[in-house]
Amino acid sequence: MKPGIHPPYGPVVFRDRAAGFAFLTRSTATSDKTVEWEDGTTYPVVDVEISSASHPFYTGTARVMDTAGRVERFERRYGRREGGR
């Protein structure tokens, strides 16, 4: 890497306040807030709105849309196209 052009890369805690979940990783993200981690060291903390602990796709609470019903509803409302295309 070229010296002097990259932001500092170091350990950062990302915290999902909604799910009560936090994880320690390395990142270029910075924050003025700090938190004491499980190992007793203080790290900068970045609060995120959603993570794998609270996202519906990862938690299994995602709803599947009924695409066939949507097509049928559209055809009832606007009719079928003539000529097969």
Side-chain angles (χ1 to χ4, degrees):
M1 291 193 321
K2 243 181 181 177
I5 64 169
H6 298 284
Y9 182 73
V12 177
V13 173
F14 286 92
R15 179 173 55 189
D16 182 351
R17 310 260 279 138
F21 175 71
F23 59 95
L24 176 65
T25 187
R26 295 179 57 85
S27 175
T28 59
T30 59
S31 175
D32 294 333
K33 298 180 197 173
T34 59
V35 67
E36 186 173 327
W37 192 243
E38 300 161 353
D39 62 1
T41 309
T42 301
Y43 297 106
V45 64
V46 175
D47 291 322
V48 294
E49 293 181 22
I50 197 158
S51 71
S52 60
S54 60
H55 193 281
F57 178 80
Y58 295 106
T59 59
T61 59
R63 296 183 312 179
V64 177
M65 296 298 287
D66 178 19
T67 56
R70 293 173 70 190
V71 171
E72 290 168 1
R73 200 171 332 133
F74 178 85
E75 289 176 349
R76 277 196 312 266
R77 187 176 294 162
Y78 301 107
R80 295 187 133 221
R81 291 182 71 175
E82 299 296 323
R85 284 198 143 183

